[in-house]
Structure formats: structure tokens, C-alpha cells
Amino acid sequence: SKSKMKKKTTKTQEAKKILKKKFKVNTKIVFTEDGELVQQWPPVQKSSLAKADEEDDATGINLDKAKEILREEDKFDKEEYRKKIKEKHR
């Protein structure tokens, strides 16, 4: 009787199935009626280092390069945050 019972799939097993099927999860893109991009989540990286890193075919993760990319992206994020706060105070 135990062989007939199905085991309950765990969240990790479901996540692995999704990864195998190459689905893009946790993304949201909003367009206007004209077809222009309004909002995208997660935001696209703006730094030139990130664009150059996408073109490289190196395997593995280069931590030094990743840190540098994050520092450069942080500059853009801080600027966006400043704009948001200034709009809020107006």
C-alpha cells in the first residue's frame, strides 16, 4: 500500500523542475498602450561592466568582477533613490 501512495513534492523539488524547464520567474514587465516599456522588474543593469560581463563566456563566478559591477550599479541606484526622495518632498 505504501508503494501506491505518492510522496508530496517539496518546494525545492518544484523549484528544480521550473529551473529545468527554463522558465523566467519573478519578472514583471509593464507596457503602455503604445507599446513602450514603462517598468521592468527586476531592473535591467545599467553599468557598462555588466554589459561587458554578459558578453564574456567565462565559466564560474568572478567575485572581484561581481563586486565591481555591484559598486557601479549602486551609484545608479543611489541616484534613483535621490530623485524619488526629492519628488516625495515636493
Side-chain angles (χ1 to χ4, degrees), residues 68-81:
E68 192 64 34
I69 291 170
L70 288 175
R71 284 190 195 115
E72 196 169 318
E73 284 295 319
D74 196 34
K75 293 175 188 175
F76 292 110
D77 292 341
K78 286 180 182 179
E79 187 64 34
E80 289 290 323
Y81 181 72

Side-chain angles (χ1 to χ4, degrees), residues 53-64:
D53 186 43
E54 289 176 358
E55 294 172 1
D56 292 343
D57 292 332
T59 58
I61 300 172
N62 187 350
L63 292 178
D64 295 328

